[in-house]
Amino acid sequence: MLAKVLSAAVIGVDGYLVRVEVDLAMGLPAFSTVGLAEGAVRESKDRVRSAIKNSGYEFPAQRITVNLAPASVKKEGAGYDLPMALGILAASGTLLDPVLERTGAIGELSLDGAVRGVPGILPMILAARQQGIGRFLVPEANAREAAVIQGISIIAVRRLHEAVEVLAGIKHPEPAQTDIAALFRDNSRYPVDFAEVRGQEYAKRAMEIAAAGGHNILLSGVPGSGKTMMARRLPTILPGLSLDEAIETTKIYSTSGLLPEQAALMVTRPFRSPHHTISDAGLIGGGQIPKPGEVSLAHNGVLFLDELPEFRKNVLEVMRQPLEDGVVTISRAATSLRFPARFMLVAAMNPCSCGYFGDRTRECTCTPVQVQRYQARLSGPLLDRIDMHVDVPPVRVRDLGSMEPGSSSETMRQRVFAARLLQQQRFAGQDRMYCNAQMGSRQLREHCRLGPAATDILHRSIERLGLSARAYNRILKIARTIADLDQAPGIDTRHLTEAVQYRRSPSANV
């Protein structure tokens, strides 16, 4: 007898439906799984057999063939355990009158019949809703996450027999519910604040401009000047995530198995800070079956690279594409996947290997050649893709106690939000463009017109600093953001001269 059960899986960060087809035939007892099943899927036969027996059902002594369609896509993970068990029970006649046509199921089974959570539930449920599936059985551990998606009934099950009773019409549990408004209200808070940063008003101004326009920024200064402290507070002044952004971000974390426990939705912008020993695959993504890397985990948030010159050169160079395109494309012989990677890059570096080049209180032990060699670890093309280069001077310890607290994150966020609102209105109707950093040539011509005086200043600055055409465009974008913070309709010379200050290369100090 043949039975079909709907399930789902994830490829990249997107879900797709899988049809679990179970056939029982006469012959010696056997259990085979086909459809490009990887190791964990092939091992499911032992878990399914024990779960069925320990749940009080009879396991059929027949030849069992399970096909996972589409058969051309590799299947991995233990999430097919539950639909396999339900298919076997339906094919053997144990599960009478099952409602399987518009119902899906996903979950890992323990040997005693308990249903365990699986990663990637959110993109799976999105795919099911798009295909018109009306109901989905999910592990209780994943129910709140799955219920974020509206328009599909999510039934939480803890054990195999509960799933059987739901499909047989014996039980009619209430669908799981998730209060999305409460998630945003209760969890969208940060434990840090820019008011804790004393001094450094110039650097804080640069961070505010970066947040307002979505610009990448490089902080250069001696150890202890507050670079890391400010970088960790950048998410606190960014506009809050929209529901679409939250779902998009949660898909990545759910697929990677990194969604915090008991968290149904990512409601704060992610902040990722990988160590400088990370590999290129860890940063960009990869593996035999490609998984998202740090640049994708920072999507819609901040990627902080501390001690930038200490990263291996090949690791840094692979960031060029995501910095420009906002996506990562990973190609393998069997497949090519695209992961979203639209993030704000915040990098920090010391001016030299000892860290004290240019410091007035401590003597630098590096020779000029050593300083140049240290700063040359960063290629020109990579530095060119970082919009703002900011020197962060040290703050004297004796001055910390007498300094008044600076602007709070809430005050700065209000100014950033007002500037972002102007940009949203400016780019209304343009797909996936919401901040000045994303402007192309056409938008620059339209929204960044300069008067004769400002044009002359810009041309002379480009020649004096030896900047590239890419840097020319980025100065215009920064100037547009500064004008937005001032609520100014156009760019004047004041906005432009401030923007030029943020394009000095770190090597200019040597």
Side-chain angles (χ1 to χ4, degrees), residues 11 21 32 47 67 76 86 89 169 177 195 222 256 285 290 330 341 346 380 386 407 427 431 447 459 465 486 502:
I11 181 167
E21 303 170 348
S32 60
R47 294 190 297 271
N67 178 47
E76 62 170 348
L86 295 174
L89 294 174
Q177 301 289 335
V222 301
S256 304
I330 299 177
V346 181
I386 300 178
S407 298
F427 304 129
D431 186 37
H447 304 297
H459 288 171
L465 297 176
D486 287 347
Y502 301 124

Side-chain angles (χ1 to χ4, degrees), residues 9-21:
V10 175
I11 181 167
V13 294
D14 297 316
Y16 67 99
L17 288 187
V18 174
R19 297 186 181 275
V20 180
E21 303 170 348

Side-chain angles (χ1 to χ4, degrees), residues 469-481:
R470 181 183 285 115
Y472 178 94
N473 290 336
R474 293 186 186 276
I475 289 175
L476 288 177
K477 295 177 183 179
I478 297 168
R480 179 66 265 176
T481 300

Side-chain angles (χ1 to χ4, degrees), residues 324 427 430 433 436-449 469-470 472-474 476-477:
E324 288 288 326
F427 304 129
Q430 302 188 42
M433 182 176 291
N436 289 332
Q438 299 167 347
M439 285 192 291
S441 299
R442 182 172 62 83
Q443 289 81 18
L444 284 172
R445 289 193 300 270
E446 183 178 353
H447 304 297
C448 299
R449 296 189 180 94
R470 181 183 285 115
Y472 178 94
N473 290 336
R474 293 186 186 276
L476 288 177
K477 295 177 183 179

Side-chain angles (χ1 to χ4, degrees), residues 82-201:
L82 179 59
M84 281 185 186
L86 295 174
I88 290 172
L89 294 174
S92 65
T94 302
L95 177 54
L96 300 176
D97 299 323
V99 182
L100 300 176
E101 288 297 323
R102 311 308 302 169
T103 299
I106 190 76
E108 176 185 345
L109 290 176
S110 65
L111 300 185
D112 64 354
V115 182
R116 293 173 174 163
V118 295
I121 279 290
L122 192 71
M124 295 180 197
I125 300 302
L126 275 170
R129 186 186 66 176
Q130 291 169 0
Q131 295 297 320
I133 306 304
R135 184 172 64 165
F136 220 95
L137 307 185
V138 303
E140 187 179 47
N142 297 126
R144 292 183 68 244
E145 177 189 345
V148 167
I149 307 303
Q150 306 295 312
I152 183 171
S153 179
I154 302 299
I155 305 299
V157 293
R158 291 174 295 179
R159 307 191 66 82
L160 174 59
H161 71 82
E162 292 182 12
V164 171
E165 291 169 354
V166 169
L167 291 177
I170 299 173
K171 281 189 174 181
H172 302 278
E174 289 294 322
Q177 301 289 335
T178 298
D179 189 342
I180 297 175
L183 288 177
F184 278 94
R185 182 178 63 250
D186 299 337
N187 300 315
S188 56
R189 299 186 180 92
Y190 296 92
V192 293
D193 195 286
F194 257 107
E196 299 157 357
V197 180
R198 300 296 179 96
Q200 301 296 11
E201 294 304 319

Side-chain angles (χ1 to χ4, degrees), residues 252-381:
I252 300 171
Y253 278 77
S254 178
T255 302
S256 304
L258 297 176
L259 192 64
E261 190 175 356
Q262 303 301 324
L265 193 67
M266 295 285 292
V267 296
T268 57
R269 294 193 180 273
F271 179 88
R272 303 295 299 182
S273 179
H275 193 260
H276 64 260
T277 56
I278 192 172
S279 66
D280 51 356
L283 186 65
I284 296 298
Q288 185 176 4
I289 299 177
K291 297 293 185 183
E294 290 291 335
V295 295
S296 295
L297 292 171
H299 182 63
N300 290 324
V302 175
L303 176 66
F304 177 48
L305 301 184
D306 201 5
E307 304 296 344
L308 188 65
E310 301 298 334
F311 285 78
R312 291 194 291 272
K313 193 163 188 176
N314 66 301
V315 174
L316 294 178
E317 294 306 308
V318 296
M319 284 205 307
R320 292 190 194 179
Q321 183 209 4
L323 282 174
E324 288 288 326
D325 303 334
V327 296
V328 171
T329 303
I330 299 177
S331 298
R332 296 289 182 267
T335 185
S336 179
L337 298 177
R338 287 167 61 90
F339 296 114
R342 193 173 295 281
F343 57 90
M344 279 187 62
L345 173 65
V346 181
M349 62 176 287
N350 297 327
C352 63
S353 55
C354 79
Y356 296 104
F357 176 73
D359 190 4
R360 298 179 180 178
T361 59
R362 297 194 186 186
E363 183 179 356
C364 175
T365 60
C366 303
T367 65
V369 174
Q370 289 175 324
V371 175
Q372 285 184 331
R373 187 179 298 123
Y374 180 79
Q375 295 183 351
R377 296 179 185 179
L378 305 178
S379 69

